[in-house]
Amino acid sequence: MRITNLLLLLNPASSFTLQMSSTTPSAPTKTSPSQKPQQSPPSSNRDILVRSARGETTERTPVWLMRQAGRYMAAFREYSDKYPFRQRSETPSMATELSLQCHRAYGMDGIIMFSDILTPLPVLGIEFDVVKGTGPVISTDIRSEEDVKALKDVADVDFDESLPFIREILGTLSREAEAADTSLIGFVGAPFTLAAYTIEGKSSKNCLPTKKK
């Protein structure tokens, strides 16, 4: 199986979710190695994390955590101990609550959408779940060109219709972020990441089967 064929299939799915997750449509400011980062004028905390990520010099260092939502919070465990991951991430009320818990508690410089990088895959016919103690596990075998051809044609997929919870969650979180004067961060796996998980079947440090493709 040629991985390029799988990448071509996954690219629209990844792009759609990333576009939906973007709350800052303007492009980053490009600078040459000899140029200093652009100095941003003083402003509210609303976009400080995004401006810093762009390489702009901000009035202070923004703060957020890589694992900003997680099992260290008792309130988070009340959900994770009771509900499967995808039920939490695909149910707007749950995903919104889990996204907001850390910001409410600690006031970080950003609200991170509770989701998973593999969210677009089921739309194409690639099923996955996040197993406690293991991580993402793909239950659909994709091992050959025939397997790739058997997946849904992206031209026939309405991602907005198939993933309605993304728009609803991001819409609610956007309003919450604006009210809290902070940034909102959404995310999704890039095409190669989605392909690697699909081929490996789970997380892998070396991705040897993927590299062989």
Side-chain angles (χ1 to χ4, degrees):
M1 179 183 73
R2 296 182 61 188
I3 191 173
T4 50
N5 291 340
L6 186 56
L7 289 172
L8 288 172
L9 178 70
L10 293 172
N11 184 58
S14 178
S15 298
F16 166 79
T17 313
L18 184 62
Q19 179 183 9
M20 287 287 294
S21 300
S22 174
T23 58
T24 54
S26 56
T29 302
K30 295 183 179 179
T31 58
S32 69
S34 61
Q35 290 178 314
K36 294 181 179 180
Q38 179 180 346
Q39 175 67 54
S40 302
S43 64
S44 71
N45 294 323
R46 171 69 163 145
D47 62 346
I48 188 170
L49 182 59
V50 176
R51 288 187 283 118
S52 180
R54 286 175 174 168
E56 298 177 18
T57 301
T58 53
E59 56 274 22
R60 63 177 177 81
T61 301
V63 178
W64 70 289
L65 300 177
M66 187 70 174
R67 297 290 183 182
Q68 192 156 307
R71 56 183 176 271
Y72 64 91
M73 296 187 70
F76 183 93
R77 294 197 300 273
E78 289 179 7
Y79 285 82
S80 60
D81 290 343
K82 186 176 181 180
Y83 303 103
F85 180 88
R86 284 188 59 184
Q87 183 176 353
R88 284 177 280 146
S89 66
E90 297 178 13
T91 302
S93 59
M94 290 189 193
T96 299
E97 171 61 23
L98 293 172
S99 300
L100 294 173
Q101 285 179 348
C102 183
H103 188 269
R104 289 198 199 109
Y106 305 114
M108 304 300 183
D109 284 308
I111 296 170
I112 303 174
M113 176 185 177
F114 179 77
S115 185
D116 189 80
I117 60 175
L118 306 183
T119 296
L121 291 183
V123 177
L124 303 176
I126 304 171
E127 290 298 329
F128 82 94
D129 200 0
V130 178
V131 180
K132 197 170 184 178
T134 301
V137 175
I138 304 291
S139 56
T140 305
D141 289 333
I142 304 296
R143 299 290 181 269
S144 66
E145 292 286 351
E146 288 69 27
D147 293 334
V148 174
K149 292 177 181 178
L151 297 174
K152 292 182 180 178
D153 187 339
V154 293
D156 299 328
V157 175
D158 184 333
F159 289 98
D160 201 358
E161 181 179 336
S162 301
L163 301 170
F165 54 89
I166 293 180
R167 185 178 294 278
E168 184 173 348
I169 294 168
L170 286 173
T172 301
L173 290 178
S174 181
R175 293 189 292 272
E176 292 281 353
E178 184 175 10
D181 194 30
T182 193
S183 300
L184 171 62
I185 302 173
F187 61 93
V188 68
F192 183 83
T193 303
L194 297 179
Y197 266 99
T198 299
I199 294 169
E200 303 289 333
K202 58 182 180 180
S203 177
S204 172
K205 292 182 179 180
N206 300 314
C207 296
L208 294 179
T210 303
K211 292 175 181 177
K212 291 178 182 178
K213 303 299 183 181

